[in-house]
Amino acid sequence: MNPALAIDTPRPLNEYTPTTLEMLKAVRREGFLGWMLNTWRQQGDLFRIRMGSQSFVLVTHPDHVRDINVTRRERYDKGESYDVLRELLLGNGIVTATGDDWRRQRKLMAPFFTPRGVEKFYPIFLSDTQQLMERWRSRHLGSGRPVEMLDEMMLVTASVILHSVFSTESDEAVLRIKDSIETMLTHISDMRVRPVRVPQWVPTPGNLRFRRAQKLVTDYIRELIARRRALPTEQWPDDLLTKLMTTKDEETGTLMAEQLLIDNGLTMFAAGHETTARTLSFLWYALSQNPEVERRLHAELDSVLGDAPPTLNDLKRLPYTLQVVKEVLRLYPAAPMYARDAVADDELDGVRIPAGTRMIIFTYGTHRHPAFWDEPERFDPDRWLPEREAARHSYAYHPFAIGPRICLGNNFSLLETHVMTAMLARRFKLRLKPGHVPRIDMSGTLGSRNGLPMLIEAR
């Protein structure tokens, strides 16, 4: 064999094949997320995990994150890994679409989600946060009873997204749609961890709950569309659903089909409220554990805002508040990992990646990589000072994914989180229930297996 050719031959992936018993013990002890983190630390930045008939490649190094999402992105797409989401929740909406279908949807929807575009929803962020503050004052302030912070944040972000997408008015409708979507998401998360998947047509209690929730949500969106079409367009509310219904595809000149309107309505709600709620929940947890950070945050808010709610211009004068948000997204990314499927043979760092390989991009690990983050487990908003951020690897931070398929709603979520942090931290302190130690883990998205019970106190 020619030695030069041998040098250029890609090497096989290192493999880690735990027994079922080993994995179950580790997950019971450390949680799934903890097990993944420890496995990465032991096995390295690029390796295959085999579990029975299932396997995937765990990707953590920022160079590989860049290759898959940007420089070699034509070799990766949202393939088989997203089939369950396509089938049961999001259809062919913007998150799960592929190829030309995705490009058309992205081109049509992107203008609604630019930094300037999402500013039109600012009044909704203010009013829904104000309602939450009033509820906290009347029901929880000084009661001595902890509230489940994940539930509190889910409620307010669900209200924001339903007002922004559908102009939903009643609190009853907000709760009904929120609960139904969360039933669907829980069902899908449970399916993914079951050793054997029960077909959807089998009338198990879980399948029946899922079908009822799915019908309620799709019927709700379908009825909204029908009611709007029965009115002159000048009477339609100025929300995201109206934008989707009235914007034509530049290439075909056609409007979005009804099923795709439903798919994208579901997508915007499911992706738009849960992830932001989890970011906010872990922000309050992080502040409760880092009193010096909280003190600096309060000092900035008091200096800039006084007693008034923030304006858009005020937010530009709250840089430390935004640094806190970014550090929460680093240490507690709502989506700790995401999948890409190899659609063509590739080679990463001298390792062969065959077509059909499932790549799991481990955001939670990248954000803790000791080669790119000093004291990675420490909560330090000063990491986001401009000079320190500019010096860092561009792909060491990707809480919303990265590249052309970066989350379309990232600007919406960042602005919403910035506003809510400023308003709520100006008036309240949140304290973890004494003695409670969260068991941070993931089930689809980041959470705590024993919740985040917190006491609400006035500042």
Side-chain angles (χ1 to χ4, degrees):
M1 179 182 291
N2 185 326
L5 293 177
I7 291 171
D8 292 337
T9 302
R11 66 182 187 275
L13 273 167
N14 292 330
E15 292 197 358
Y16 172 57
T17 309
T19 67
T20 302
L21 184 59
E22 286 172 344
M23 189 184 72
L24 288 174
K25 284 183 176 178
V27 169
R28 189 177 296 117
R29 183 176 62 250
E30 305 158 3
F32 179 74
L33 193 56
W35 173 69
M36 290 282 282
L37 195 65
N38 288 330
T39 301
W40 158 61
R41 286 169 174 160
Q42 294 164 11
Q43 301 295 325
D45 286 336
L46 191 68
F47 66 97
R48 185 188 298 276
I49 298 180
R50 286 196 183 275
M51 297 180 291
S53 61
Q54 302 294 315
S55 76
F56 58 87
V57 174
L58 197 69
V59 178
T60 307
H61 195 283
D63 286 352
H64 304 149
V65 173
R66 175 199 60 212
D67 291 343
I68 292 169
N69 286 291
V70 181
T71 58
R72 305 176 71 80
R73 65 182 182 274
E74 72 280 356
R75 296 173 182 265
Y76 300 90
D77 209 339
K78 293 187 173 183
E80 185 179 343
S81 296
Y82 289 81
D83 282 350
V84 170
L85 278 176
R86 286 189 191 95
E87 176 190 348
L88 298 182
L89 184 63
L90 305 182
N92 293 305
I94 185 72
V95 165
T96 49
T98 60
D100 289 341
D101 185 27
W102 169 76
R103 280 185 281 274
R104 284 194 295 270
Q105 290 189 56
R106 184 84 183 196
K107 187 175 181 181
L108 184 147
M109 296 171 67
F112 313 149
F113 292 95
T114 62
R116 180 60 61 87
V118 300
E119 288 180 1
K120 78 176 296 296
F121 303 107
Y122 193 80
I124 294 174
F125 301 158
L126 290 179
S127 63
D128 281 2
T129 307
Q130 188 64 48
Q131 286 186 27
L132 176 69
M133 293 169 67
E134 291 168 3
R135 187 163 61 82
W136 279 6
R137 289 191 188 101
S138 63
R139 298 185 187 181
H140 302 302
L141 195 59
S143 70
R145 296 186 302 272
V147 299
E148 176 48 58
M149 194 48 56
L150 286 163
D151 291 343
E152 292 294 308
M153 294 299 99
M154 288 282 189
L155 183 60
V156 69
T157 59
S159 180
V160 164
I161 205 73
L162 283 170
H163 289 144
S164 303
V165 179
F166 303 126
S167 295
T168 300
E169 294 296 336
S170 74
D171 291 342
E172 180 185 351
V174 169
L175 284 170
R176 190 169 68 248
I177 301 303
K178 166 190 167 291
D179 290 347
S180 296
I181 290 284
E182 289 172 8
T183 296
M184 295 165 72
L185 289 169
T186 299
H187 180 78
I188 292 167
S189 294
D190 289 346
M191 282 179 56
R192 286 176 162 177
V193 299
R194 288 187 198 128
V196 178
R197 178 179 170 184
V198 179
Q200 282 301 113
W201 56 265
V202 178
T204 64
N207 284 349
L208 292 173
R209 280 194 300 272
F210 175 84
R211 280 188 233 159
R212 286 193 295 270
Q214 184 183 50
K215 184 176 188 303
L216 187 150
V217 174
T218 54
D219 285 354
Y220 177 81
I221 300 173
R222 190 174 282 112
E223 289 167 11
L224 277 179
I225 294 168
R227 286 203 297 271
R228 289 193 192 184
R229 285 179 172 156
L231 296 170
T233 54
E234 60 269 19
Q235 295 182 25
W236 293 8
D238 184 18
D239 58 18
L240 284 167
L241 179 61
T242 287
K243 291 182 183 299
L244 293 181
M245 292 176 68
T246 56
T247 304
K248 291 184 177 180
D249 186 309
E250 289 183 4
E251 296 179 20
T252 65
T254 59
L255 296 170
M256 190 174 285
E258 179 166 312
Q259 186 57 52
L260 200 53
L261 289 170
I262 294 170
D263 291 347
N264 276 310
L266 270 164
T267 295
M268 286 187 286
F269 184 83
H273 95 284
E274 189 191 25
T275 52
T276 304
R278 293 183 184 279
T279 298
L280 284 160
S281 298
F282 280 100
L283 184 145
W284 306 125
Y285 166 67
L287 290 177
S288 74
Q289 303 303 297
N290 294 275
E292 177 58 23
V293 172
E294 184 182 58
R295 186 196 65 75
R296 288 180 62 186
L297 173 68
H298 288 164
E300 178 178 82
L301 294 174
D302 294 347
S303 172
V304 172
L305 299 182
D307 292 327
T311 65
L312 283 167
N313 283 332
D314 287 336
L315 292 185
K316 298 172 185 176
R317 300 163 57 212
L318 297 173
Y320 190 73
T321 307
L322 186 57
Q323 288 172 216
V324 169
V325 171
K326 287 183 175 182
E327 183 68 347
V328 171
L329 287 165
R330 181 190 72 85
L331 207 54
Y332 306 106
M337 58 190 74
Y338 56 94
R340 294 291 183 265
D341 298 291
V343 295
D345 291 345
D346 197 15
E347 182 181 323
L348 292 179
D349 200 17
V351 172
R352 179 174 176 268
I353 306 294
T357 302
R358 178 174 297 180
M359 315 294 284
I360 299 296
I361 301 173
F362 191 31
T363 308
Y364 197 79
T366 309
H367 290 184
R368 286 166 165 74
H369 202 302
F372 304 97
W373 304 95
D374 296 331
E375 298 181 82
E377 294 290 348
R378 185 163 68 91
F379 189 84
D380 178 14
D382 283 339
R383 298 180 198 277
W384 301 102
L385 290 169
E387 61 275 15
R388 291 180 66 181
E389 185 173 1
R392 191 175 299 123
H393 193 302
S394 300
Y395 297 89
Y397 180 72
H398 49 110
F400 297 100
I402 207 158
R405 295 213 66 152
I406 190 171
C407 173
L408 187 64
N410 67 323
N411 293 315
F412 186 103
S413 180
L414 278 171
L415 182 60
E416 179 183 4
T417 305
H418 202 175
V419 171
M420 288 190 180
T421 300
M423 292 181 70
L424 294 172
R426 177 69 186 85
R427 297 298 181 190
F428 303 99
K429 282 185 178 181
L430 289 94
R431 293 289 174 261
L432 199 63
K433 178 183 175 182
H436 185 82
V437 179
R439 298 171 64 193
I440 296 172
D441 203 359
M442 66 171 289
S443 177
T445 49
L446 192 72
S448 170
R449 287 189 286 175
N450 58 344
L452 284 174
M454 303 193 80
L455 298 164
I456 300 173
E457 301 173 357
R459 279 196 57 212

